[in-house]
Amino acid sequence: MLTPYGEIPDRLAAGMSMAEQHDWLAVRASRRTVLRGLLVAGASASPLFWPQTARAAPGLAVASRLLAPGPDPARDMTVAISVPGSFRRGQVEAAAADGSAGSGVAELEAQLVRGSTVRYARAELTGLQPATEYDYRVLLDGVVASSGTFRTAPAGPVDFRFTAFGDQGVGAESRSMLRRVAELRPDLHLVAGDICYANQKGTGGPGDFRPTLWDAWLTQNDRVSGSVPFLCALGNHEMEPGFGTHGYAGVLARLPLPGRSPVDCP
């Protein structure tokens, strides 16, 4: 079985949990091999993902946007993007659409997940005003690469509209559901686990790893997730072979989630 960290014999991988796969690979990867891989990739922090400061590419485009409520959804919003290229610096700027509140700026923190060449970056906007519509734009190396709008949650309990489904995946049915979400214009969308099925069978066994589905899922959702905050729960189909944190380290690098809840999931 091939994983982002190396290969595990199929006869062993078939009976291993995600944690056992991770430990098996960690024990057998020599320090020299790991360091060589990090240096080739330009890494500086972690064998899984690391901040990126590579040169910018001309005409750089944002492939997807995904909003997520922060720990205080009335005042915090995270803007996550995926970019199939490199950039030196990124920012997200936000300003109240009606000019009633001040603007905010947050730096993008970019990460590269082992096994993918796409840059995943997120910026955490804080100090926003409750129940306020904001215009935001994404700047990569000083150039506006994408823009959108979002609305913060109210400061207190009020009626609101949300949509929810699990087992979304990628394809015609998924796109149909997204069109319905766009029509309903919810204040929040819940994704109840089994997000894109990068782990096809949910066991992490031999041949059960398609990381490109993450990028397909993010891109297909952009028309909704660029304006409606997504709150994602994790399922067994998010576990990926060779990754730490019970197999969830890859998805935690790709998707912003408020608080710590998924970090300790069994």
Side-chain angles (χ1 to χ4, degrees):
M1 180 180 75
L2 186 63
T3 82
Y5 284 105
E7 191 166 0
I8 303 175
D10 286 355
R11 61 183 175 80
L12 296 178
M16 284 182 170
S17 67
M18 288 288 176
E20 289 169 339
Q21 291 173 6
H22 183 262
D23 291 344
W24 193 93
L25 289 162
V27 168
R28 283 154 182 78
S30 69
R31 184 173 184 274
R32 181 178 181 182
T33 300
V34 172
L35 287 174
R36 185 187 304 120
L38 295 178
L39 289 171
V40 169
S44 60
S46 163
L48 172 62
F49 51 87
W50 50 86
Q52 295 296 294
T53 57
R55 62 182 177 82
L60 199 61
V62 172
S64 70
R65 302 160 299 162
L66 189 145
L67 301 174
D72 180 355
R75 300 181 183 278
D76 306 330
M77 184 70 74
T78 299
V79 180
I81 62 171
S82 65
V83 181
S86 302
F87 56 93
R88 293 186 181 89
R89 184 184 181 190
Q91 290 180 309
V92 174
E93 298 178 347
D98 61 3
S100 62
S103 60
V105 180
E107 294 290 320
L108 280 166
E109 295 184 3
Q111 299 171 333
L112 181 64
V113 179
R114 187 174 293 278
S116 173
T117 59
V118 175
R119 270 66 177 176
Y120 305 99
R122 65 189 67 170
E124 299 180 2
L125 295 163
T126 60
L128 305 174
Q129 295 301 308
T132 301
E133 184 170 332
Y134 282 85
D135 295 323
Y136 73 90
R137 60 180 190 169
V138 178
L139 291 86
L140 300 180
D141 293 331
V143 178
V144 176
S146 186
S147 61
T149 62
F150 64 78
R151 186 174 183 83
T152 53
V158 297
D159 292 341
F160 70 98
R161 170 176 285 183
F162 71 94
T163 52
F165 51 74
D167 300 84
Q168 182 184 354
V170 176
E173 294 86 355
S174 179
R175 291 190 291 272
S176 177
M177 289 189 290
L178 286 167
R179 286 193 292 271
R180 182 59 176 149
V181 173
E183 292 170 359
L184 291 170
R185 298 176 60 86
D187 299 296
L188 178 72
H189 178 63
L190 305 178
V191 182
D194 294 347
I195 297 172
C196 76
Y197 284 82
N199 177 341
Q200 292 282 284
K201 298 177 182 177
T203 61
D208 195 16
F209 184 53
R210 293 180 60 190
T212 56
L213 284 176
W214 279 115
D215 300 318
W217 183 83
L218 289 166
T219 300
Q220 77 168 6
N221 288 356
D222 176 78
R223 65 187 296 265
V224 176
S225 60
S227 58
V228 176
F230 271 45
L231 187 58
C232 299
L234 304 183
N236 60 310
H237 290 278
E238 277 68 77
M239 298 186 298
E240 295 171 307
F243 286 81
T245 318
H246 309 292
Y248 290 109
V251 62
L252 292 173
R254 290 177 170 99
L255 300 185
L257 299 128
R260 301 181 59 249
S261 58
V263 175
D264 298 315
C265 59

